[in-house]
Amino acid sequence: MPANTIDHNRTRYNFDGIDSVWLFGYGSLIYKVDFPFLEQRPASIRGWARQFWQGSHDHRGTPEAPGRVVTLIEQPGAVCRGMAFRVSPNVFEYLDVREKNGYLRFSTTMTFDDGSHAEGLVYIATEDNEAFLGEAPEADIAAQIAAAVGPSGPNSEYLLRLAESLRALGDDCRHTFSIESHLTRSGPVEASDS
Ligand code: SIN
């Protein structure tokens, strides 16, 4: 899979005749909502775990010093909590550009807090994409995040804002919170609003 997924995503779904689509966000899509939406609801998906295993060469790092951002890894029994947005299909023209560094749109079933379900889409960076970095000790992931900066800002801001949003959603994402505590232990870092 090439690093730039824009063209590939455009061929994946035909939105003809569809007024709105549910999008499940589990990373920056939770806290950086720079796209229009019709409705927003906390939700979860089953069988997937959030992991800081995707490299970021374009947003939170550079090709020479990539940052680390989240993707989803299949894990039986796992529950990933996030935010669902009901969006107009044309919003994917923007989102495909934003998520172009390795993420493909997949169908998923999301469960809302009242137990109801909806089918929708989720962006996942699979292991065969060029920017995939894979597993590493959480202390090493924190050190890489502490050092990386890209056009969208410091990688630490991505981590800290995500951790803050997951806390607000009542999520207990051990992986994210463990990397956050390694990072904050190693020196003062603050999540900015940019
Ligand atoms: C997401 O937030 O759902 C995808 C990953 C990201 O953009 O951080």
Side-chain angles (χ1 to χ4, degrees):
M1 184 55 53
N4 186 326
T5 51
I6 296 176
D7 290 341
H8 196 89
N9 271 323
R10 291 202 170 138
T11 63
R12 280 171 86 80
Y13 290 95
N14 181 351
F15 294 126
D16 286 355
I18 295 175
D19 292 339
S20 66
V21 181
W22 280 104
L23 164 72
F24 179 78
Y26 57 92
S28 69
L29 289 174
I30 300 178
Y31 66 81
K32 188 177 176 196
V33 187
D34 59 356
F35 51 90
F37 62 88
L38 305 163
E39 194 181 344
Q40 174 182 29
R41 294 176 74 179
S44 303
I45 61 173
R46 293 197 158 271
W48 295 93
R50 181 191 291 107
Q51 301 284 1
F52 275 83
W53 290 7
Q54 173 67 2
S56 178
H57 308 84
D58 61 343
H59 277 301
R60 299 293 183 168
T62 59
E64 299 72 40
R68 275 188 179 254
V69 292
V70 289
T71 184
L72 293 179
I73 302 294
E74 258 184 300
Q75 190 181 300
V79 175
C80 178
R81 188 155 168 77
M83 187 63 81
F85 300 91
R86 193 163 62 81
V87 299
S88 161
N90 62 19
V91 170
F92 288 98
E93 282 165 33
Y94 166 67
L95 291 174
D96 286 349
V97 175
R98 173 171 156 173
E99 302 296 319
K100 69 181 187 317
N101 197 205
Y103 292 85
L104 290 176
R105 295 190 232 130
F106 288 88
S107 303
T108 192
T109 303
M110 53 200 93
T111 305
F112 301 116
D113 288 354
D114 64 2
S116 63
H117 304 282
E119 294 302 312
L121 296 177
V122 58
Y123 283 96
I124 298 177
T126 54
E127 294 184 21
D128 59 355
N129 86 86
E130 285 174 8
F132 191 79
L133 294 176
E135 191 169 5
E138 286 166 346
D140 294 357
I141 293 179
Q144 184 174 351
I145 289 174
V149 183
S152 299
N155 201 177
S156 56
E157 183 198 345
Y158 177 104
L159 166 66
L160 297 176
R161 291 193 69 191
L162 178 58
E164 187 179 275
S165 311
L166 294 179
R167 254 180 228 107
L169 279 170
D171 188 29
D172 180 24
C173 182
R174 201 206 55 80
H175 175 68
T176 302
F177 295 146
S178 159
I179 296 169
E180 178 196 36
S181 71
H182 280 294
L183 184 103
T184 49
R185 235 181 283 153
S186 66
V189 259
E190 278 175 29
S192 75
D193 289 335
S194 60

